[in-house]
């Protein structure tokens, strides 16, 4: 059974179906009155400063309205998401596209390419529980051939251990160690009740990884 | 993400919105999570969008000074796991945003004593609940109706006594809640329940 919040809000339905100019204008005004704050919040979250935020906000309104509400018509009131959540995703994409056109695509230092290595390093640091500086753990450019070989072996073992985890568990590790989210932020995002639950689950995963690596003779992050 | 061929490589708006609402199941949910693991761009979008959607989510510590009991009761109701049926009333979108998805908790922890609203006249405040399985770590939190945590502890037992030096005032109403975490990471939570010291 669908909840009332799954249904297309009246003002949107009226805007999309409005037969007269006045009806459509009135419905659009109602839409703005109800969702203005939310759209502003999205714009401010996506932009780096107030000017860009207001600029992005204006673009969002323009694109939501253009072509007889083409974007709004894409919302399917099928119970999979509330209209407001869907609206946040759509409007944020509009903001990001606009800001990319204005400033170019943001490339986070080829982060994707190094995700696995970075996760490996940080997770290894956690695994050994020592005061190891992640930057000090040798990378593929390690000066000593033996060190590079050992690092490669460590990385391969860790990849294997990570690969044995479920996608949910791997996502948890990514959010914590790749994206540097706090435990409470992770909890809110994935639906765990508190940071306490996130920490306990992370600790369980790290213990699992540690055991897996230990079974293969890896006892330390030192190459 | 405006490029059509590029769009095909990333999560759709519908998929992301539904996943944020935790309404995906089975193979589709599995595919979305697997994609989030591998795709840094979608994960960043998931994080950023989730932060906006969840910005006003209610939390257990969200009681505010001056909130009356009726308002507190409403918050407590909103905090109940989603296995409880929700009232089918139309709500404003902003309110809907604030009420949005609670964790998928299979069943709430059942509190044993004290009962909701019970006045405790003895010298000890002993809190007890029903076991939720083996090897479960429980965290017990006691708060004022203004949201201030006055005492909390973690235990593997199913009861705990608030120490005499905890700052509980006679005649005041307090709320307590039990979080549980199973060894496999599965969480559970009790409804918030009040007692009067």
């Amino acid at each position: 059974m669908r909840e009332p919040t799954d249904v297309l809000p009246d003002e949107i339905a009226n805007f999309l179906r409005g037969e007269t100019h006045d009806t459509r204008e009135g419905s659009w005004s109602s839409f703005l009155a109800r969702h203005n704050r939310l759209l502003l919040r999205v714009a401010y979250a996506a932009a780096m400063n107030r000017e860009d935020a207001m600029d992005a906000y204006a673009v969002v309104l323009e694109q939501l309205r253009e072509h007889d509400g083409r974007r709004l018509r894409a919302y399917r009131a099928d119970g999979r998401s509330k209209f407001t959540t869907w609206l946040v995703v759509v409007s944020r994409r509009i903001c990001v596209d606009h800001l990319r056109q204005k400033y170019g695509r943001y490339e986070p230092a080829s982060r994707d390419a190094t995700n696995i290595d970075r996760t490996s390093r940080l997770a290894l640091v956690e695994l050994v529980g020592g005061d190891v500086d992640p930057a000090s753990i040798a990378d593929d450019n390690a000066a000593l051939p033996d060190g590079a070989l050992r690092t490669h072996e460590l990385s391969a073992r860790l990849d294997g251990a990570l690969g044995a985890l479920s996608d949910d568990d791997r996502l948890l590790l990514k959010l914590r160690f790749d994206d540097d989210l706090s435990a409470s932020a992770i909890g809110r995002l994935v639906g765990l009740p508190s940071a306490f639950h996130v920490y306990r689950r992370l600790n369980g995963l790290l213990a699992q990884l540690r055991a897996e690596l230990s079974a293969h003779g890896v006892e330390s992050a030192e190459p | 993400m405006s490029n059509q061929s590029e769009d095909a490589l990333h999560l759709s708006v519908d998929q992301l919105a539904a996943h944020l609402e935790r309404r995906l199941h089975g193979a589709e949910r599995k595919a979305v999570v697997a994609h989030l693991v591998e795709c840094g761009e979608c994960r960043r979008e998931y994080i950023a969008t989730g932060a906006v959607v969840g910005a006003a989510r209610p939390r257990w510590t969200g009681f505010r000074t001056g909130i009356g009991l009726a308002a507190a009761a409403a918050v407590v109701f909103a905090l109940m796991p989603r296995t409880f049926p929700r009232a089918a009333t139309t709500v404003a979108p902003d309110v809907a945003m604030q009420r949005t998805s609670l964790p998928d908790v299979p069943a709430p922890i059942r509190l044993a004593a004290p009962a909701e609203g019970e006045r405790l006249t003895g010298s000890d405040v002993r809190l007890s609940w029903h076991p939720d399985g083996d090897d479960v770590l429980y965290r017990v939190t006691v708060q004022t109706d203004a949201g201030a945590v006055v005492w909390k502890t973690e235990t593997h037992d199913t009861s705990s006594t608030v120490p005499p030096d905890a700052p509980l005032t006679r005649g005041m109403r307090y709320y307590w809640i039990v979080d549980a975490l199973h060894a496999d990471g599965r969480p559970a939570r009790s409804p918030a329940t009040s007692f009067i010291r």
Side-chain angles (χ1 to χ4, degrees), chain A residues 145-223:
Chain A
D146 286 351
L149 183 63
R150 176 69 176 148
T151 299
H152 182 73
E153 286 178 5
L154 280 175
S155 188
R157 293 286 186 208
L158 189 61
D159 285 350
L162 288 169
L165 299 178
S166 71
D167 287 332
D168 281 298
D169 289 341
R170 290 171 65 207
L171 180 59
L172 207 62
L173 291 171
K174 285 274 186 183
L175 293 171
R176 181 70 189 95
F177 297 114
D178 272 28
D179 303 311
D180 295 330
L181 281 196
S182 68
S184 53
I186 293 172
R188 285 194 295 276
L189 194 60
V190 305
L192 290 172
S194 69
F196 158 77
H197 295 88
V198 175
Y199 278 126
R200 190 161 194 228
R201 190 154 159 193
L202 283 171
N203 286 339
L205 289 174
L206 292 174
Q208 192 177 331
L209 287 174
R210 191 184 303 121
E212 178 72 16
L213 292 177
S214 182
H216 288 88
V218 179
E219 299 289 351
S220 165
E222 296 291 349

Side-chain angles (χ1 to χ4, degrees), chain A residues 34 76 79 85 93 191 200, chain B residues 11 14 21 23 45 103 181:
Chain A
R34 293 190 77 168
R76 289 177 295 176
T85 302
R93 286 193 175 185
R200 190 161 194 228
Chain B
L11 297 180
D14 288 337
E21 301 257 351
R23 293 196 192 179
E45 184 182 26
L181 193 62

Side-chain angles (χ1 to χ4, degrees), chain A residues 8-199:
Chain A
L8 194 64
D10 286 345
E11 69 276 10
I12 300 300
N14 291 337
F15 171 72
L16 297 176
R17 296 176 200 138
E19 292 180 358
T20 68
H21 176 77
D22 288 349
T23 305
R24 291 168 61 81
E25 286 302 313
S27 301
W28 182 252
S29 297
S30 299
F31 168 77
L32 289 184
R34 293 190 77 168
H35 302 291
N36 190 38
R37 283 195 313 156
L38 180 64
L39 295 176
L40 275 170
R41 192 188 301 166
V42 171
Y44 270 96
M48 299 293 285
N49 55 54
R50 185 178 185 281
E51 186 183 344
D52 280 346
M54 295 310 294
D55 201 14
Y57 168 73
V59 172
V60 167
L61 295 188
E62 180 187 325
Q63 293 201 14
L64 288 178
R65 186 167 183 171
E66 71 182 4
H67 304 307
D68 292 329
R70 179 181 58 84
R71 284 184 183 268
L72 291 171
R73 288 178 196 280
Y75 175 68
R76 289 177 295 176
D78 57 4
R80 279 161 57 100
S81 69
K82 287 198 283 278
F83 174 73
T84 45
T85 302
W86 180 89
L87 184 63
V88 167
V89 178
V90 169
S91 53
R92 187 183 178 279
R93 286 193 175 185
I94 294 172
C95 288
V96 170
D97 279 347
H98 166 70
L99 293 168
R100 278 178 180 167
Q101 284 175 18
K102 189 171 180 181
Y103 294 113
R105 177 179 281 267
Y106 167 68
E107 294 293 350
S110 302
R111 204 170 180 177
D112 283 347
T114 58
N115 268 352
I116 293 175
D117 285 349
R118 187 155 184 268
T119 301
S120 303
R121 293 178 188 195
L122 288 167
L124 275 171
V125 171
E126 294 281 339
L127 285 170
V128 297
D131 297 325
V132 182
D133 177 3
S136 72
I137 301 175
D139 58 22
D140 290 343
N141 298 319
L144 299 173
D146 286 351
L149 183 63
R150 176 69 176 148
T151 299
H152 182 73
E153 286 178 5
L154 280 175
S155 188
R157 293 286 186 208
L158 189 61
D159 285 350
L162 288 169
L165 299 178
S166 71
D167 287 332
D168 281 298
D169 289 341
R170 290 171 65 207
L171 180 59
L172 207 62
L173 291 171
K174 285 274 186 183
L175 293 171
R176 181 70 189 95
F177 297 114
D178 272 28
D179 303 311
D180 295 330
L181 281 196
S182 68
S184 53
I186 293 172
R188 285 194 295 276
L189 194 60
V190 305
L192 290 172
S194 69
F196 158 77
H197 295 88
V198 175
Y199 278 126

Side-chain angles (χ1 to χ4, degrees), chain B residues 105-145:
Chain B
V105 178
I109 301 289
R110 291 185 302 127
L111 303 181
E116 166 59 32
E118 185 177 340
R119 184 179 291 274
L120 305 178
T121 55
S123 57
D124 289 341
V125 175
R126 186 171 181 277
L127 310 172
S128 64
W129 54 95
H130 296 279
D132 201 46
D134 297 325
D135 191 15
V136 181
L137 180 63
Y138 300 98
R139 184 178 63 178
V140 188
T141 308
V142 177
Q143 292 189 347
T144 66
D145 66 355

